[in-house]
Amino acid sequence: MKYFVALLIFLTSLISIAQDDLLEGLEIEEDKKVTSTWKSLKVVNFETTKLVAPKELQVVISHRFGSVENGIDDLFGLDNAITRFQFVYGLTDWMHIEASRSGFNKTYQLASKFKLKQQEKEGFPFSIALFTAMDANTELDEAIFPKVDFVDRLGYTAQFIVARKISKRLSAQISPTFFHQNFVPFDPQDNTQYALGLGARYKLTNRWSLNADYGAHLNRADGSPFVNPLSIGVDLETGGHVFQMHFTNAQPMLTNGFLSQGAGDWLDGRFYFGFNLVRSF
């Protein structure tokens, strides 16, 4: 019996040592990763490499008001708000799923984001993610477009996001984007379209950061009334949520929308105020 007890103590010690070694290994592995490249799922318009944590639900309420150009007549655009409700759930540490509804074109969206690689302190220099989405434009009026079918309402997005935390304060990313619209609002425009997004974040304090992004549409049709989106804003971290406030020349909030139907003009004062309120559960 005493040999059995001695053996049990010996095995327990080995298991304890092995667990300690494993935990130390995990801590070392985790310590190699660069964290907090972004604090929110979006820079302003463009997606970031950040994902929602496993078993976490984020609710995002977004408002994008009308153009400020009319001043007090419509309260600097506040009379003409577009609202988006978004629900994001983390399935694993490398994937989350989303469902949302936007007032712009009464659009529903199902989306997902995948973490492909995370930046390391000494090693791989970038974080990489893939964002995919399918949209349904339910505002197309069958009285105006009598031949419209359900498939005509659909649009698709695939966005490859490559980000780098350059310093403790500065992060930047590039986002090659493919998107397809079965119905385009400007007839000469190709249904399949391409864009390149650029984004940056500069941390001002522990709670405040300055964010900006720009989207270059690479095959916009000649004569198109739409423009490339340029946006700037700030993020405020407060406890369990992030509050984003921004100005942009594109009122739509979904990728297909702000890339293909941005209609503002910064020089003419035709731009839009908006905010995103992010709450985690």
Side-chain angles (χ1 to χ4, degrees):
M1 183 65 180
K2 63 180 179 180
Y3 297 109
F4 176 76
V5 172
L7 179 62
L8 184 61
I9 293 173
F10 176 70
L11 291 175
T12 302
S13 300
L14 286 180
I15 293 171
S16 177
I17 292 169
Q19 286 178 330
D20 290 342
D21 290 343
L22 179 60
L23 289 174
E24 287 176 5
L26 289 174
E27 288 171 359
I28 292 171
E29 183 68 24
E30 189 64 29
D31 191 56
K32 292 180 180 179
K33 305 296 184 181
V34 173
T35 59
S36 302
T37 304
W38 309 100
K39 284 297 186 179
S40 188
L41 300 178
K42 286 196 171 189
V43 184
V44 178
N45 278 322
F46 279 89
E47 298 289 331
T48 68
T49 52
K50 181 177 175 62
L51 273 69
V52 170
K55 298 182 180 180
E56 178 181 313
L57 174 67
Q58 278 195 8
V59 178
V60 185
I61 301 174
S62 305
H63 290 281
R64 190 69 57 81
F65 299 99
S67 174
V68 303
E69 62 184 322
N70 294 324
I72 198 65
D73 288 346
D74 58 8
L75 203 58
F76 297 94
L78 268 67
D79 289 344
N80 304 306
I82 289 174
T83 302
R84 182 189 183 199
F85 294 95
Q86 180 184 11
F87 302 89
V88 189
Y89 184 73
L91 292 178
T92 69
D93 61 356
W94 55 268
M95 178 185 180
H96 76 221
I97 55 175
E98 308 178 13
S100 70
R101 200 272 192 186
S102 171
F104 186 82
N105 290 336
K106 299 180 181 178
T107 304
Y108 292 86
Q109 183 183 81
L110 295 176
S112 57
K113 192 186 291 188
F114 305 87
K115 181 192 296 182
L116 304 181
K117 190 70 176 178
Q118 189 169 345
Q119 182 181 344
E120 298 172 348
K121 294 177 180 178
E122 295 182 6
F124 196 76
F126 304 105
S127 292
I128 301 176
L130 174 66
F131 173 78
T132 63
M134 181 176 70
D135 308 337
N137 176 350
T138 66
E139 194 174 52
L140 287 176
D141 193 337
E142 294 182 5
I144 301 174
F145 305 99
K147 295 183 179 181
V148 67
D149 294 323
F150 176 73
V151 70
D152 298 317
R153 301 177 182 275
L154 300 180
Y156 312 92
T157 304
Q159 188 171 96
F160 191 67
I161 311 160
V162 182
R164 178 170 172 80
K165 189 173 184 179
I166 300 169
S167 68
K168 289 183 178 180
R169 293 187 179 274
L170 180 63
S171 300
Q173 71 175 36
I174 186 169
S175 307
T177 304
F178 160 90
F179 63 106
H180 181 92
Q181 296 171 301
N182 289 339
F183 174 86
V184 290
F186 183 61
D187 284 342
Q189 179 64 58
D190 292 339
N191 297 85
T192 299
Q193 301 166 64
Y194 308 93
L196 185 65
L198 301 172
R201 170 183 183 261
Y202 186 79
K203 185 177 179 180
L204 300 172
T205 69
N206 287 336
R207 293 186 177 274
W208 289 91
S209 67
L210 180 66
N211 295 5
D213 61 27
Y214 174 77
H217 193 297
L218 302 180
N219 64 327
R220 196 182 301 281
D222 293 338
S224 173
F226 304 115
V227 299
N228 291 337
L230 172 63
S231 312
I232 186 168
V234 293
D235 283 7
L236 170 62
E237 298 175 57
T238 56
H241 64 268
V242 177
F243 187 50
Q244 298 181 292
M245 297 164 283
H246 46 260
F247 289 96
T248 177
N249 63 337
Q251 194 179 29
M253 287 174 273
L254 301 181
T255 304
N256 280 14
F258 69 74
L259 283 174
S260 68
Q261 297 182 63
D265 189 323
W266 281 94
L267 297 180
D268 287 344
R270 196 165 66 252
F271 53 89
Y272 312 88
F273 171 70
F275 68 82
N276 304 327
L277 179 60
V278 183
R279 181 66 186 178
S280 300
F281 296 93

